Amino acid sequence: MDALAHTIEVSEPSINFAAEMRQEAMEKFPPLGPPDIVTVKKEYSPSYGKNVEQTYYHCVRGYDVSSEEIVSAYIASLVSAGFRVGSWYESSGGRWQIQKVWYRSYCILSKLDIVVTGDFPGSVAVCGLDADGNEIDVTPDMWKDCFLSAACRHIQRVGEAPIYPCMKVYDLFADPAMEEQMLTFALDLQDKWHLAGTNRAYKREGDRSEGGCADSRIAMTIFEHFVSQARFQEAVDFFKERASKNDPECAVHAARAYLAEVHWKFPPNEFLNTPRTSRLSYFAIYTGQRKAGPLTDMTERLRRGTSKPL
């Protein structure tokens, strides 16, 4: 049987069809890019006649793609799992075997696919492939970009709307070390965040600027990662204590986290019905402002999203 064990695949109409379509569409990828794609080339050797080659693909999201060795381990896992056991009436005159596997993961900052190729038996090659099809040597920063990109896609659940066929989803952050690795790599590449594009809703018509670090899609994705889990203080710690050292504007997301915590702890009606002094005290505690005088002005600035009070 030609189906891999534990993996659902799509049969391609021609060799590497999905990879070729992906390559052609790279210039028009969405900001965070598509899920990773794995292409498996198989060969059927019948008991008589010519051998037949066929490629299949499946998508992957949430897998650790921080190095060639880890991606190679995924490829090896497909080979070691082997094929599904065929039904009793299936002919046993021939057999299938895996010839080659390509794992492609898109880097949202470098604007290229990192391609790890497993050729059996026994060789692994890696290269970067840009939108023009040029092969590029993969640097350590590109691997950081690759992991950060995959993490952002996982947080934003890329591949679910519209849904990608045959997608394997891993829980990237099941190991807490993966979250810290994402944040560390993000800080290492902070000067390139703007290359991922901006989420600015206030861009004027015709404005094609990339935006800054604070309003990049990476900053917004990391913010949503914490806030969606009601981890407001951790969002504050990251943006105020770490990210703002390289770009002070990133502290705006700490202010947003303060306000998100207010709305989470106090539903709008309940919060508005509390005494004004209690509301001001709340802001005083969470912003370190102890004097009553500047609290009103500080509260208004927080609502506007400015980082000055921080």
Side-chain angles (χ1 to χ4, degrees):
M1 194 171 184
D2 64 336
L4 293 177
H6 315 302
T7 302
I8 301 174
E9 302 174 286
V10 178
S11 176
E12 298 188 305
S14 60
I15 300 297
N16 273 337
F17 176 80
E20 292 175 0
M21 295 298 101
R22 178 184 175 100
Q23 181 64 36
E24 290 180 10
M26 189 177 293
E27 287 185 339
K28 300 179 182 178
F29 276 175
L32 296 181
D36 302 347
I37 186 172
V38 181
T39 305
V40 182
K41 184 179 180 182
K42 306 172 188 177
E43 183 181 61
Y44 179 69
S45 302
S47 55
Y48 61 89
K50 295 182 178 180
N51 291 358
V52 177
E53 292 183 344
Q54 176 69 44
T55 55
Y56 303 74
Y57 77 90
H58 64 275
C59 297
V60 178
R61 194 190 73 206
Y63 189 76
D64 178 4
V65 288
S66 59
S67 71
E68 176 184 345
E69 292 76 18
I70 296 175
V71 177
S72 298
Y74 179 87
I75 294 175
S77 71
L78 296 179
V79 178
S80 61
F83 295 95
R84 298 183 196 174
V85 178
S87 54
W88 64 271
Y89 57 82
E90 194 169 23
S91 172
S92 59
R95 68 187 184 93
W96 285 91
Q97 61 182 359
I98 296 175
Q99 281 190 325
K100 206 167 190 175
V101 180
W102 296 267
Y103 191 111
R104 292 174 170 83
S105 187
Y106 183 67
C107 302
I108 61 179
L109 302 180
S110 305
K111 308 299 182 187
L112 52 77
D113 264 342
I114 288 183
V115 185
V116 178
T117 306
D119 199 347
F120 301 96
S123 67
V124 176
V126 60
C127 71
L129 204 60
D130 65 15
D132 295 325
N134 300 316
E135 291 191 5
I136 299 170
D137 292 336
V138 178
T139 65
D141 275 356
M142 286 183 185
W143 280 114
K144 292 179 181 180
D145 180 7
C146 191
F147 179 84
L148 177 60
S149 302
C152 287
R153 287 191 288 270
H154 183 61
I155 292 169
Q156 297 290 2
R157 307 175 73 87
V158 168
E160 295 186 11
I163 190 167
Y164 276 68
C166 300
M167 186 164 67
K168 296 174 72 173
V169 178
Y170 292 84
D171 185 1
L172 180 62
F173 301 117
D175 180 357
M178 291 294 99
E179 180 181 274
E180 180 55 34
Q181 180 168 288
M182 174 189 71
L183 300 178
T184 300
F185 287 177
L187 293 173
D188 291 344
L189 301 172
Q190 192 171 355
D191 60 335
K192 299 179 181 179
W193 284 10
H194 64 282
L195 298 176
T198 178
N199 272 355
R200 287 186 299 172
Y202 54 84
K203 288 182 68 175
R204 296 177 181 176
E205 185 176 354
D207 179 8
R208 299 185 180 278
S209 62
E210 294 173 325
C213 175
D215 56 10
S216 72
R217 295 183 186 275
I218 292 177
M220 295 297 298
T221 298
I222 294 175
F223 174 80
E224 291 173 15
H225 170 65
F226 286 119
V227 172
S228 65
Q229 303 173 60
R231 296 164 62 193
F232 307 106
Q233 188 57 50
E234 291 170 71
V236 171
D237 293 342
F238 176 75
F239 286 105
K240 183 179 178 181
E241 305 299 335
R242 300 174 70 179
S244 64
K245 289 182 178 179
N246 293 330
D247 187 339
E249 290 187 0
C250 284
V252 69
H253 296 298
R256 295 178 65 225
Y258 285 134
L259 292 176
E261 185 171 18
V262 171
H263 288 291
W264 182 72
K265 288 189 174 182
F266 303 98
N269 291 337
E270 178 182 338
F271 183 68
L272 291 175
N273 290 332
T274 58
R276 180 174 179 275
T277 54
S278 298
R279 282 179 274 160
L280 295 181
S281 297
Y282 181 84
F283 281 105
I285 293 171
Y286 280 87
T287 60
Q289 300 282 344
R290 299 300 177 184
K291 295 181 181 180
L295 277 175
T296 302
D297 176 63
M298 181 203 66
T299 303
E300 290 302 318
R301 282 185 286 167
L302 281 171
R303 285 174 178 165
R304 293 178 198 152
T306 180
S307 60
K308 289 182 179 180
L310 306 175

